[in-house]
Amino acid sequence: MATEQELSDFLKSVERRAFKRSVYHVRDEEAALDIVQDSMMKLAEHYGDKPANELPLLFQRILSNCTLDWFRRQKTRRALFSNLSDFEAVDDNGDFDLLEHFVMPTDSRESESAEDTTRRAQIFHAIEEQIAALPGRQREAFLMRYWEEMDVAETAAAMGCSEGSVKTHCSRAVHALSKALKAKGISL
C-alpha cells in the first residue's frame, strides 16, 4: 500500500509531464490544468490505497479517461451552444515553454551563440507544432512512449488498446513527424 508521502511524491513527479501531455491533447492550458487536477484527485480518492508501483499506470489511465471525458463534454457543449468564441484561435502566449525544459549537457563549457539559440527555439517550436498537429491517438501513443518513456505494454494498458495498436500509432506518428519536419528542412 502506498503511503501518503509516496502518493504525494508520485503526484509531484508526474505533475509537469501530465500537464504538458494534456496541453498537447486539448490545446487549452486552463482545460489541461483542470484535467490534470481531476486526474490527481481521482487517483488519490479511489486508488490511494494501491501499491506505489501500480500508481504510474493507474494515473496514466485516469489521465487518458479524463481527457476523453473533456472531449466528450466539449462535443456536447458545442452541439448545444454554438458560440462565436469557438471559432477564435487559441492564444499561444501561455506560460508553457518547451525551451525551459531543454537541458544542455553538463560537460559543455562553451556558451551557445545567439544564432544557435534562435535556431534551437525555431526547431523546438516546429516540433511542438507538428506534435500538436498529429491525430489524437497517434499523439497520445507518441507522448506516452517517447515523452513519458513508457514501454509498449504500459502504453497499451494506459490507452486501453492492444500493443500492436500502440506500435502502429507510434510508427505513424514518427513517420508523420519525420516527413513534416523534413519538409521544413529540419533533420534531427
Side-chain angles (χ1 to χ4, degrees), residues 80-98:
L80 295 175
F81 306 104
S82 181
N83 196 343
L84 289 178
S85 66
D86 288 343
F87 300 105
E88 294 176 356
V90 176
D91 186 16
D92 290 334
N93 295 330
D95 293 331
F96 178 72
D97 184 11
L98 182 64

Side-chain angles (χ1 to χ4, degrees), residues 12-13 23 26 32 41 43-44 46 52 54-55 65 69 77 86 97-98 110 112-113 121 134 138 147 161 166 171 181:
K12 285 178 188 176
S13 73
V23 167
V26 301
M41 291 298 295
L43 180 73
H46 301 289
E54 291 182 17
L55 295 178
N65 288 340
D69 290 344
R77 193 171 291 139
D86 288 343
D97 184 11
L98 182 64
E110 308 173 74
E112 192 173 46
S113 71
L134 288 171
Q138 287 180 21
W147 187 267
C161 64
V166 169
S171 175
L181 294 174

Side-chain angles (χ1 to χ4, degrees), residues 20-113:
K20 189 170 200 170
R21 178 178 155 201
S22 295
V23 167
Y24 277 126
H25 283 293
V26 301
R27 296 181 179 111
D28 179 352
E29 289 186 2
E30 289 179 19
L33 184 59
D34 289 342
I35 290 168
V36 171
Q37 288 175 343
D38 287 345
S39 299
M40 289 180 166
M41 291 298 295
K42 287 179 181 179
L43 180 73
E45 288 173 15
H46 301 289
Y47 302 101
D49 60 344
K50 295 289 184 181
N53 62 344
E54 291 182 17
L55 295 178
L57 281 179
L58 287 168
F59 181 72
Q60 292 301 325
R61 186 64 175 177
I62 292 168
L63 185 62
S64 293
N65 288 340
C66 285
T67 303
L68 289 173
D69 290 344
W70 182 86
F71 278 114
R72 287 184 194 113
R73 284 192 303 274
Q74 292 304 309
K75 185 177 180 181
T76 303
R77 193 171 291 139
R78 284 192 188 111
L80 295 175
F81 306 104
S82 181
N83 196 343
L84 289 178
S85 66
D86 288 343
F87 300 105
E88 294 176 356
V90 176
D91 186 16
D92 290 334
N93 295 330
D95 293 331
F96 178 72
D97 184 11
L98 182 64
L99 292 177
E100 82 182 38
H101 300 291
F102 178 73
V103 178
M104 291 291 292
T106 55
D107 60 344
S108 174
R109 302 201 189 278
E110 308 173 74
S111 63
E112 192 173 46
S113 71

